[in-house]
Amino acid sequence: MNYLCQIWFETSAIEDLSEEEQQKLTSDCRAYDDGLAEGGHLILAQALRAPATAKTVRTRDGKVSVTDGPFAEIKEFLGGIILFKAESMDEALHIASRSPLARFAALEVRPAYSIMEKD
Protein backbone atom coordinates (compact mmCIF):
# COMPACT_ATOMS: atom_id res chain seq x y z
CA MET A 1 0.00 0.00 0.00
CA ASN A 2 1.10 3.57 -0.61
CA TYR A 3 1.32 6.12 2.19
CA LEU A 4 1.60 9.88 2.03
CA CYS A 5 3.68 11.54 4.71
CA GLN A 6 2.90 15.25 4.95
CA ILE A 7 5.57 17.28 6.72
CA TRP A 8 4.08 20.11 8.80
CA PHE A 9 6.55 22.66 10.16
CA GLU A 10 5.91 25.15 12.91
CA THR A 11 7.03 28.39 11.32
CA SER A 12 9.30 29.41 14.19
CA ALA A 13 10.97 26.01 14.56
CA ILE A 14 12.39 25.94 11.06
CA GLU A 15 13.19 29.65 10.87
CA ASP A 16 15.34 29.44 14.01
CA LEU A 17 17.83 26.98 12.46
CA SER A 18 21.26 28.36 11.63
CA GLU A 19 22.61 28.05 8.09
CA GLU A 20 24.85 25.19 9.25
CA GLU A 21 21.90 23.39 10.87
CA GLN A 22 19.82 23.82 7.71
CA GLN A 23 22.61 22.35 5.56
CA LYS A 24 22.99 19.40 7.94
CA LEU A 25 19.23 18.78 7.89
CA THR A 26 19.19 18.89 4.09
CA SER A 27 22.08 16.40 3.95
CA ASP A 28 20.39 14.11 6.48
CA CYS A 29 17.12 14.25 4.51
CA ARG A 30 18.88 13.32 1.27
CA ALA A 31 20.51 10.34 2.99
CA TYR A 32 17.12 9.30 4.45
CA ASP A 33 15.47 9.53 1.01
CA ASP A 34 18.34 7.55 -0.56
CA GLY A 35 17.85 4.84 2.08
CA LEU A 36 14.12 4.65 1.33
CA ALA A 37 14.88 4.38 -2.39
CA GLU A 38 17.47 1.65 -1.85
CA GLY A 39 14.96 -0.26 0.30
CA GLY A 40 12.32 -0.09 -2.44
CA HIS A 41 9.96 2.11 -0.41
CA LEU A 42 10.35 5.57 -1.95
CA ILE A 43 7.97 6.74 -4.66
CA LEU A 44 8.44 10.52 -4.32
CA ALA A 45 10.02 12.95 -1.88
CA GLN A 46 9.56 16.65 -2.45
CA ALA A 47 10.30 19.71 -0.34
CA LEU A 48 8.03 22.69 -0.84
CA ARG A 49 8.92 26.36 -0.97
CA ALA A 50 7.59 28.81 1.64
CA PRO A 51 3.82 29.42 1.85
CA ALA A 52 4.35 33.01 0.67
CA THR A 53 5.23 31.61 -2.78
CA ALA A 54 1.86 29.81 -3.09
CA LYS A 55 -1.25 30.70 -5.03
CA THR A 56 -4.71 29.46 -4.06
CA VAL A 57 -7.17 28.56 -6.85
CA ARG A 58 -10.92 28.29 -6.31
CA THR A 59 -13.75 27.70 -8.76
CA ARG A 60 -17.16 28.82 -7.52
CA ASP A 61 -20.27 29.12 -9.68
CA GLY A 62 -18.13 28.58 -12.76
CA LYS A 63 -15.76 31.44 -11.94
CA VAL A 64 -12.08 30.93 -11.19
CA SER A 65 -10.32 33.08 -8.62
CA VAL A 66 -6.62 33.07 -7.80
CA THR A 67 -5.24 34.60 -4.62
CA ASP A 68 -1.74 34.92 -3.21
CA GLY A 69 -0.53 32.55 -0.52
CA PRO A 70 -2.55 30.45 1.86
CA PHE A 71 -6.10 31.47 2.69
CA ALA A 72 -5.48 32.17 6.38
CA GLU A 73 -2.68 32.84 8.82
CA ILE A 74 -1.27 29.50 9.88
CA LYS A 75 0.86 28.32 12.78
CA GLU A 76 2.09 25.32 10.82
CA PHE A 77 2.77 25.02 7.12
CA LEU A 78 3.12 22.11 4.72
CA GLY A 79 6.85 21.94 4.02
CA GLY A 80 7.03 18.78 1.96
CA ILE A 81 5.70 15.35 1.16
CA ILE A 82 7.04 11.83 0.96
CA LEU A 83 5.08 9.17 -0.90
CA PHE A 84 6.25 5.66 -0.08
CA LYS A 85 5.29 2.00 -0.05
CA ALA A 86 4.78 0.02 3.15
CA GLU A 87 3.11 -3.25 4.07
CA SER A 88 1.06 -1.76 6.92
CA MET A 89 0.37 1.42 8.86
CA ASP A 90 2.75 0.18 11.56
CA GLU A 91 5.55 -0.10 9.02
CA ALA A 92 4.61 3.29 7.53
CA LEU A 93 4.80 4.92 10.97
CA HIS A 94 8.18 3.29 11.60
CA ILE A 95 9.46 4.59 8.26
CA ALA A 96 8.21 8.12 9.00
CA SER A 97 9.61 8.11 12.54
CA ARG A 98 13.12 7.63 11.16
CA SER A 99 12.94 10.85 9.13
CA PRO A 100 15.34 13.58 10.30
CA LEU A 101 12.43 15.98 9.85
CA ALA A 102 10.55 14.38 12.75
CA ARG A 103 12.79 16.42 15.08
CA PHE A 104 11.44 19.69 13.65
CA ALA A 105 8.02 18.91 12.23
CA ALA A 106 4.83 16.92 12.66
CA LEU A 107 4.69 14.09 10.14
CA GLU A 108 1.14 13.14 9.16
CA VAL A 109 1.04 9.64 7.68
CA ARG A 110 -2.04 8.74 5.67
CA PRO A 111 -2.86 5.71 3.50
CA ALA A 112 -3.48 6.56 -0.14
CA TYR A 113 -6.14 5.03 -2.35
CA SER A 114 -4.86 2.94 -5.18
CA ILE A 115 -6.43 3.92 -8.48
CA MET A 116 -7.40 0.26 -8.77
CA GLU A 117 -9.36 0.25 -5.47
CA LYS A 118 -13.10 0.59 -5.32
CA ASP A 119 -14.79 2.42 -2.42
Side-chain angles (χ1 to χ4, degrees):
M1 177 171 262
N2 294 343
Y3 291 85
L4 178 67
C5 178
Q6 298 178 54
I7 303 155
W8 292 91
F9 288 103
E10 280 193 42
T11 304
S12 61
I14 203 69
E15 288 176 349
D16 292 343
L17 294 177
S18 69
E19 182 68 29
E20 184 178 302
E21 290 169 321
Q22 289 177 18
Q23 289 176 359
K24 170 93 167 86
L25 181 58
T26 298
S27 175
D28 291 349
C29 288
R30 285 187 178 137
Y32 171 77
D33 293 347
D34 289 346
L36 288 180
E38 290 167 9
H41 294 282
L42 186 65
I43 298 170
L44 170 76
Q46 187 67 60
L48 298 174
R49 297 193 185 273
T53 65
K55 301 283 186 187
T56 299
V57 177
R58 289 182 179 77
T59 302
R60 302 293 185 271
D61 298 321
K63 295 181 181 180
V64 177
S65 70
V66 179
T67 56
D68 289 338
F71 179 67
E73 289 294 319
I74 52 177
K75 183 178 177 182
E76 293 182 323
F77 67 92
L78 182 61
I81 60 168
I82 305 170
L83 184 63
F84 60 89
K85 298 176 187 178
E87 294 295 320
S88 66
M89 177 59 90
D90 285 342
E91 182 183 23
L93 293 172
H94 177 73
I95 288 169
S97 72
R98 295 189 339 246
S99 170
L101 295 169
R103 297 185 315 247
F104 303 97
L107 277 59
E108 177 185 328
V109 178
R110 191 183 305 184
Y113 280 108
S114 165
I115 58 172
M116 304 307 287
E117 283 184 68
K118 294 189 179 201
D119 291 337

